[in-house]
């Protein structure tokens, strides 16, 4: 069937900010879809609130809205744009839910918008647990015993009938939010309560527990002619009971016979037909009993998903792109397979390698969170590795994780020797094996080394014996390497088992370099093979490579000038999609000016690892060894390390030593910025100002320094990222605690102590330079005071309270630093302004997290320009020589994963904890801020009751805020002290009991839905239990809660603006045009 | 133990032996199925061939008693990247290694099977040897060159049954049809499928004559898959030619080629054949695409069949080769691929039902 001629304009909804369960995979899929549809001549209207996406680049879609993804806003956009169709299946759960709401509210009908890809009834049939169950029974598929409950009574009835253990799962939530497993009544009630409140329709499914069964996923595609193909099968290493997003997964399935696989395939085809997903990709999950083979269907996602991104990268089959084409009427056989060119997309990829995906968690940021892995996803990112064997892929995957490991143990971080001395080691191992956790993989190794059998480990973990056996073989080879001289056979085998030179060196008592040199001289080097969708049956044209140690190398070298771009590896807190965005831009920019671009990355969710993005893609870990291997082959003319965040930056010096040309700011300059002592010298030389600081190796020295500097001080270990283990310390006692508990200071790793600038305004500056010309890209004023990590703070561009004098001082300081560091490329500086004085907090001579936001705010692709500059072009030639100060206001707000970690405190601090960001653009601060809150899923209330409780030092400032809230029509509820203070300021408030004083207290009111807004600043350094309870309940119930005075002030401005004007939508192009107009004046 | 794989073009791969210790010759082909090695090994059509699996991890789920397509493995040898040292599946009854030892089949592992595949893809299927132990590679190459190829060689007689036998319908089922099936190396799942559509089957050896077959008064004739060159079984072609307008006929794979020859057409050898479970085949009448199980090295040249008697019904979307044909008047049709799957997708199972329909119509006509 040819493409449809009756639709012209298509609306695509993105997935919004990066959150746990919904990461950059939807930027990848959405971007692919936009490209695919525009290629076919359709006009694409795109909505996404996340500026750090390629899809929101001005040239990805025809019309781009960086606006909140809410039904209200979408309705306005639809009214304005009048699209013919809405493609709801590419924006994750957010996009899908929003589309359903637009349908239910009649908006789609009113404006004649057709849902393509999946219709509302198909979506509902798949998403609504009850309808899904009925559909599955109808086609004869086996399901777990289950019942639906809408309240606690019903839930208990069902639980009695099925019996414990049970799984409780709310309908219509993302990544299993609010779900859990229960083996007794207490657990059951707790989880059910939570589940009911999280579900969009207050519905939970109570289900027979299948914990320990094998878990599988199939990625399925269907076209309008009812052709169905399976793109990829995925076997979960971790069995049922651990969310697939938290499981190590392997493609293709490893332990199913063909008969069993075909049975699953048949079921999947039946499912997609019965559910009625018309076109595009779906993800279907199955459980298989390990001893009987009984197959059970778990769920279907009627849209592209995290797993489909993985499947696309694992096979080379671009699911989202094809899904988009199918949605507009093409059939699979009409679409060519890009990779082979000659064959069509109506086939099932055959792969001739093994793919391993490993999740990346961020528990170090949430030490109080429950770290056990369960049916609710907790990981923040993932890495994928390709090898010719599972063993090879697994070890590559581990060293891609960016957790300082170089494979499955046997590396400098290996703790086996030390731990095995503990008498309880075996007990500990058993415990760690039976309760799933992020270190389980390493405990399997410990177990094997301690003599546990495959069977014993299987009994404890229910991980398939095949996987454990393979790990056992790795461990056995480790022992062999340790005990022998490295003959060529052993070396080859070690490399084929995925051992890194670092590990081999560790086992052999030599350095990485001492292994690498002789190995290569001995003729054992990595070869690269193609990911080609067809197991070499046809010639492949897209250069998408992975390394292995075998006979044949398939790399085809070109004679062109080439630049290698190092990506950022797995998403984690502090290093997310923003860096991938920059890498992608670098690639696009350098392609534009004639370079061959070579991308190296290991993150399957990203646009950078789309085989279409760069001229060549190497899906590899970002370690020195792996990068040098590629460099040996490709001999690039330059390497870019400043775009992928800290990961590639950490390799800079070693790469340079190995003879590679690092383009842009030199590794030496980077080092000056990162080395505290060198930086201090620089600051003094430039006569700039830093907070008073000191360095301490011992507790005593620390106390001495802190007293000299004066409390409060900011303490942190040297060399950390994203504010890891940073704390504000107020007295000797807490300093001592910090020095002995939080970090263990040592001669090697001193603790850094800075004067903490309280009540200071923090400012972020992004700058671009070419060595001659330096231009500020954007200056952002933080809304929260300094002390809240810049990655967590909301920011406004241009600054809205700073004086011109201060801003000019900041500009001068930035230019001085840039000149001195001879910046070629990007640089980010953080300042704090206190009492009219400007202090430098830190300089990052690289792309920062805010580059995409700034680029979109000023309408200039900074990362692209930077890449060009790094390759030798000049800003003058590129036409960017003057700072742009936009007439409109852009606000960046951060999004936090607190809802996934029930009970933890949400107070912001110097340790970054946000996973993503959104952008609000509007003509004034109030409206822009209000939009950013709406986009961040905590829309400001327009009226109702506000609960106010602030610390003593804030009581002065809360008065005016409360007054304005009252004038805006809110009613105040406050705790005693705050109430008294408000009364003094002439604001009446309803006084309420402390929690400890009994009911009715604030908790009751919140649960009743009486509270619409909370202003609660922490009462002291150590928050009281009461407060934590209130704040974490606010998160669970979705009540907007601000924890800082500036935040509250901004909220009031936002509410005021929204009450006056209401939200309005405007495409990015119009904002940019306004900018251009202003520039021309 | 070491082992060597030597190709006719002189390429040599060293690897590790598994299965039986032996020296085995055959045409080297690659199969792109990611599952189903036991079905592949036991498919009689692989007689005369050494199979390379493109999927690198083989043996993971062991072997069992059910997933067999005949009484024993027939492939001459097996080339893999990594043999699993354990068998992990609830149905497993042993390891692949043990199974191949038992049936005397040599395997070689540790091979860059992707490199092998790329050689075959560019140069075409070629003869090879797998030899266990420390062999002289030069001497092996000479032996490979001297070994027989597939063209003109009757491998069917080595795999077909020696005398006719009955494959009764399933217990409790009243058979609707009697089908005569000529066994050229028939896969068991064909018989299972014939049962499914209500047939009792009389299985004949490939050498059966037309009158042997007509003697059981069948409602339909089934022509099976089998190894090697279809032109090498003239006796079977002759029988089919005599029966071609007497009965509803359904042919699969070799059976499809035999039908082409029986109607006066020609067959030819493909460069490296089709072996796998992912080929898209379009039914030209419905324009729908099935994902098919494939295993053949020869193909029918449909234009060579006189008087355009056969209509092209199915085409391979990879290389546009003939995947199915149907007679314009007679109830005769065939497919090149494997609707019986095993291994592979079940998309085309409906063809057996179509055969049943034909027999039903013919019976009542
Ligand atoms: N009945 C069950 N018993 C045990 N574990 C289950 C059960 N149902 C689901 N799970 C586990 O929970 C995870 C999440 O469930 P799923 O239905 O896939 O929801 P989501 O929408 O979050 O992906 C699954 O990956 C699986 O490991
Ligand atoms: N001396 C200080 N006074 C007040 N706040 C500070 C000070 N130093 C750092 N901070 C806060 O801590 C955050 C993180 O510190 P920073 O040095 O930027 O570390 P990172 O490398 O993690 O970005 C900053 O964004 C700022 O809010
Ligand atoms: Mg799921
Ligand atoms: Mg910082």
């Amino acid at each position: 069937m040819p493409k449809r001629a009756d639709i012209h304009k298509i609306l695509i909804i993105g997935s919004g900010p990066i959150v746990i369960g919904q990461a950059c995979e939807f930027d990848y899929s959405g971007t692919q879809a936009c490209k695919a549809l525009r290629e076919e001549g359709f006009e694409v209207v795109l909505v996404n609130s996340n500026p750090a996406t390629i899809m929101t680049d001005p040239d990805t879609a025809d019309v781009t809205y960086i606006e909140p993804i809410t039904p209200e806003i979408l309705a306005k956009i639809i009214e304005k744009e009048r699209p013919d169709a809405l493609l709801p299946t590419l924006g994750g759960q957010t996009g899908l839910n929003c589309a359903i709401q637009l349908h239910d509210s009649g908006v789609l009908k009113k404006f004649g918008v057709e849902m393509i890809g999946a219709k509302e009834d198909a979506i509902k049939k798949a998403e609504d647990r009850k309808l899904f169950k009925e559909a599955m029974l109808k086609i004869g598929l086996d399901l777990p015993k289950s019942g639906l409950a809408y309240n606690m009574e019903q839930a208990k009835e069902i639980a009695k009938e099925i019996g414990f253990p049970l799984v409780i799962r709310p309908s219509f939530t993302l990544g299993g939010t609010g779900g859990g497993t229960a083996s007794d009544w207490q657990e059951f009630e707790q989880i059910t309560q939570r589940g009911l409140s999280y579900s969009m329709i207050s519905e939970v499914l109570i289900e027979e527990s299948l914990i320990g069964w094998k878990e599988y996923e199939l990625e399925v595609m269907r076209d309008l002619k009812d052709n169905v193909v399976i793109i990829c099968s995925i076997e979960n290493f971790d069995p049922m009971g651990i969310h697939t997003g938290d499981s190590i997964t392997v493609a293709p399935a490893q332990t199913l016979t063909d008969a069993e696989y075909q049975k699953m395939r048949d079921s999947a085809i039946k499912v997609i037909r019965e559910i009625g997903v018309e076109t595009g990709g779906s993800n279907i999950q199955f459980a298989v009993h390990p001893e009987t083979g009984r197959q059970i269907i778990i769920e279907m996602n009627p849209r592209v998903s995290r797993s489909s991104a993985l499947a696309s990268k694992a096979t080379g089959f671009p699911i989202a792109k094809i899904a988009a084409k199918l949605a507009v009427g093409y059939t699979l056989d009409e679409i060519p397979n890009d990779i082979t060119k000659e064959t069509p997309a109506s086939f099932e990829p055959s792969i001739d390698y093994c793919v391993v995906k490993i999740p990346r968690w961020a528990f170090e940021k949430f030490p109080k969170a429950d770290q056990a892995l369960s049916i609710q996803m907790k990981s923040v990112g993932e890495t994928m590795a390709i090898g010719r064997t599972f063993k090879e892929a697994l070890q590559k995957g581990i060293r891609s994780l960016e957790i300082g490991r170089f494979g499955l143990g046997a590396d400098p971080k290996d703790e086996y020797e030390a731990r095995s001395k503990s008498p309880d080691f075996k007990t500990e191992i058993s415990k760690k094996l039976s309760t799933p956790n992020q270190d389980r993989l390493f405990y399997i190794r410990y177990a094997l080394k301690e003599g546990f059998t495959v069977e014993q480990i299987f009994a404890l973990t229910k991980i398939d014996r095949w996987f454990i056996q393979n790990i056992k073989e790795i461990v056995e080879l480790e022992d062999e390497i340790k005990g022998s001289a490295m003959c060529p056979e052993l070396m080859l085998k070690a490399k084929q088992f995925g051992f890194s030179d670092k590990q081999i060196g560790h086992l052999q008592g030599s350095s990485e370099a001492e292994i690498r040199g002789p190995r290569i001289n001995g003729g054992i080097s990595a070869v690269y093979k193609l990911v080609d969708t067809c197991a070499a049956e046809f010639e492949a044209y897209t250069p998408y490579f992975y390394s292995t140690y075998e006979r044949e190398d398939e790399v085809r070298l070109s004679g062109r000038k080439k630049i290698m771009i190092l990506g950022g590896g797995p998403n984690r807190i502090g290093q997310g999609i923003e860096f991938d965005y920059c890498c992608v831009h670098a690639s696009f920019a350098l392609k534009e000016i004639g370079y061959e671009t070579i991308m190296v990355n290991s993150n399957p969710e990203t646009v950078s690892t789309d085989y279409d993005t760069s001229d060549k893609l190497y899906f590899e870990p970002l370690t020195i060894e792996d990068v040098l291997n590629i460099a040996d082959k490709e001999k690039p003319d330059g390497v870019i390390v400043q775009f992928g965040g800290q990961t590639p930056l950490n390799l800079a010096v070693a790469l340079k030593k190995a003879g590679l040309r690092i383009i842009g700011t030199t590794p030496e300059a980077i080092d000056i910025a990162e080395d505290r002592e060198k930086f201090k010298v620089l600051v003094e030389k430039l006569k700039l100002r830093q907070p008073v600081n000191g360095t301490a190796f011992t507790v005593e020295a620390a106390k001495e320094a802190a007293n000299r500097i004066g409390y409060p001080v900011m303490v942190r270990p040297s060399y950390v990222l994203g504010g890891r283990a940073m704390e504000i310390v107020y007295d000797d006692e807490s300093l001592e605690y910090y020095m002995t508990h939080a970090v263990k200071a040592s001669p090697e790793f001193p603790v850094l102590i800075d004067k903490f600038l309280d009540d200071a305004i923090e400012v972020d500056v992004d700058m671009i330079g070419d060595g001659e010309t330096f231009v500020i890209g954007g200056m952002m004023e933080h809304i929260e005071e300094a002390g809240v990590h810049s990655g967590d703070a909301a920011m406004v561009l241009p600054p809205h309270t700073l004086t011109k004098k201060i801003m000019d001082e900041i500009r001068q300081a930035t230019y001085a630093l840039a000149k001195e560091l001879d910046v070629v490329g990007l640089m980010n500086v953080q300042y704090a302004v206190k009492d009219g004085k400007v202090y430098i907090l830190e300089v990052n001579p690289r792309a920062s997290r805010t580059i995409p936001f700034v680029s979109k705010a000023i309408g200039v692709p900074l990362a692209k320009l930077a890449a060009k500059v790094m390759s030798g072009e000049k800003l003058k030639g590129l036409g960017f020589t003057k700072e742009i100060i936009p007439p409109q206001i852009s606000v960046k707000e951060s999004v936090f994963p607190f809802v996934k970690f029930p009970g933890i405190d949400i107070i912001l601090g110097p340790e970054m904890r946000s996973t993503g960001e959104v952008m609000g653009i509007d003509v004034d601060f109030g409206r822009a801020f209000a939009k950013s809150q709406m986009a961040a899923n905590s829309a400001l209330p327009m009226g109702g009751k506000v609960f106010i409780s602030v610390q003593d030092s804030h009581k002065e400032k809360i008065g005016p805020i409360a007054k304005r809230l009252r004038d805006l029509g809110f009613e105040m509820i406050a705790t005693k002290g705050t109430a008294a203070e408000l009364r003094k300021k002439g604001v009446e408030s309803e006084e309420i009991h402390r929690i400890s004083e009994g009911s009715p207290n604030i908790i009751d009111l919140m649960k009743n839905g009486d509270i619409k807004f909370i202003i609660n600043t922490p009462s002291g350094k150590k928050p009281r239990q009461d407060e934590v309870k209130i704040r974490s309940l606010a998160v669970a119930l979705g009540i907007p809660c601000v924890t800082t005075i500036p935040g509250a002030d901004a909220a009031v401005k936002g509410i005021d603006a929204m009450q006056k004007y209401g939200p309005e939508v405007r495409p990015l192009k119009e904002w940019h045009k306004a900018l251009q107009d202003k520039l021309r004046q | 133990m070491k082992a060597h794989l030597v190709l006719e073009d002189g390429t040599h791969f060293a690897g590790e032996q598994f299965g039986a210790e032996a020296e085995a010759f055959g045409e080297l082909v690659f199969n792109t199925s990611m599952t189903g090695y036991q079905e592949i090994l036991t498919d009689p059509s692989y007689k005369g061939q050494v199979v390379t699996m493109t999927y690198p991890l083989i043996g993971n789920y062991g072997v069992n008693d059910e997933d067999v397509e005949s009484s024993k493995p027939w492939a001459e040898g097996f080339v893999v990247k990594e043999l699993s040292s354990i068998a992990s599946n609830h149905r497993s009854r042993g390891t692949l290694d043990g199974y191949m030892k038992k049936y005397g089949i040599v395997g070689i592992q540790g091979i860059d099977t992707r490199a092998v595949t790329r050689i075959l893809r560019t140069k075409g299927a070629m003869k090879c040897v797998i030899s266990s132990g420390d062999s002289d590679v030069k001497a092996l190459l000479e032996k490979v060159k001297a070994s027989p190829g597939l063209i003109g060689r009757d491998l069917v007689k080595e795999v077909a049954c020696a005398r006719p036998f009955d494959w009764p319908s399933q217990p409790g089922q009243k058979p609707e049809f009697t089908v005569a099936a000529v066994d050229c190396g028939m896969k068991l799942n064909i018989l299972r499928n014939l049962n499914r559509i209500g047939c009792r089957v009389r299985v004949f050896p490939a050498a059966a004559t037309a009158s042997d077959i007509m003697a059981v008064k069948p409602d339909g004739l089934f022509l099976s898959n089998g190894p090697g060159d279809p032109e090498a079984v003239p006796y079977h072609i002759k029988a089919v030619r005599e029966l071609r307008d007497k009965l509803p006929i359904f042919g699969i794979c070799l059976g499809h080629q035999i039908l082409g020859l029986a109607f006066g057409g020609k067959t030819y050898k493909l460069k490296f054949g089709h072996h796998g479970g992912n080929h898209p085949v379009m039914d030209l009448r419905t324009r729908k695409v099935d994902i098919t199980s494939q295993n053949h090295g020869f193909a029918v040249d449909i234009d060579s069949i006189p008087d355009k008697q056969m209509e092209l019904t199915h085409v391979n979307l990879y290389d546009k080769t003939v995947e199915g044909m149907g007679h314009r008047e007679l109830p005769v049709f065939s497919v090149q691929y494997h609707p019986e799957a095993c291994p592979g997708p079940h998309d085309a199972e409906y063809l057996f039902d179509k055969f049943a329909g034909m027999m039903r119509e013919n019976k009542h006509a």
Side-chain angles (χ1 to χ4, degrees), chain A residues 266 346 350 464 473 551 554, chain B residues 12 32 85 88 114 280 346:
Chain A
D266 289 346
S346 55
S350 174
D464 194 280
E473 287 164 20
R551 175 156 158 166
E554 297 176 41
Chain B
H12 164 233
T32 60
S85 52
S88 182
R114 186 168 164 93
H346 299 156

Side-chain angles (χ1 to χ4, degrees), chain A residues 819-851:
Chain A
K819 270 187 205 128
E820 194 61 28
L821 291 171
D822 202 9
V823 168
V824 179
L826 297 166
M827 179 177 88
N828 165 271
V829 191
Q830 285 155 28
Y831 297 95
V833 181
K834 186 176 162 80
D835 303 330
K837 286 195 188 123
V838 173
Y839 297 82
I840 297 173
L841 296 184
E842 70 161 349
V843 172
N844 297 306
R846 56 164 166 88
S848 72
R849 212 171 285 122
T850 38
I851 286 295

Side-chain angles (χ1 to χ4, degrees), chain B residues 161 163-168 177-183 186 191 194 199-205 212-213 215-218 220-222:
Chain B
C161 59
R163 57 189 78 74
F165 63 90
D166 279 319
W167 180 271
F177 313 108
T178 301
V179 164
V182 180
D183 174 19
M186 182 156 42
L191 289 172
L194 289 172
C199 303
R200 51 183 274 243
V201 188
R202 178 75 176 168
V203 183
F204 290 92
D212 291 344
I213 290 168
V216 300
K217 300 204 174 60
L221 172 63
F222 177 82

Side-chain angles (χ1 to χ4, degrees), chain A residues 695-697 716-719 739 743-752:
Chain A
T695 304
F697 294 95
R716 69 177 103 182
S718 57
Y719 286 98
M739 294 291 286
V743 294
K744 300 213 166 46
S746 70
E748 242 180 302
F749 300 106
V751 165
L752 313 179

Side-chain angles (χ1 to χ4, degrees), chain A residues 225 227 254 257-258 260 262 265-266 346 348 350 352 388 464 473 529 536-537 550-552 554, chain B residues 12 32 35 55 60 81 85 88-89 91 112-114 118 121 278-280 287 289 343-344 346-347:
Chain A
K225 245 203 253 142
N227 294 312
Q254 300 295 337
T257 63
D258 186 65
E260 290 150 7
Q262 298 304 339
R265 182 182 180 279
D266 289 346
S346 55
E348 300 193 343
S350 174
D352 56 1
R388 282 275 284 166
D464 194 280
E473 287 164 20
K529 297 209 180 271
E537 186 169 4
E550 267 191 326
R551 175 156 158 166
E552 189 185 44
E554 297 176 41
Chain B
H12 164 233
T32 60
T35 50
Y55 188 64
N60 302 1
K81 163 69 182 169
S85 52
S88 182
N89 187 280
R91 291 195 296 138
D112 185 342
T113 45
R114 186 168 164 93
R118 281 163 49 89
R121 179 185 88 207
N278 69 348
H279 282 221
R287 316 279 315 163
V289 181
H346 299 156
D347 293 10

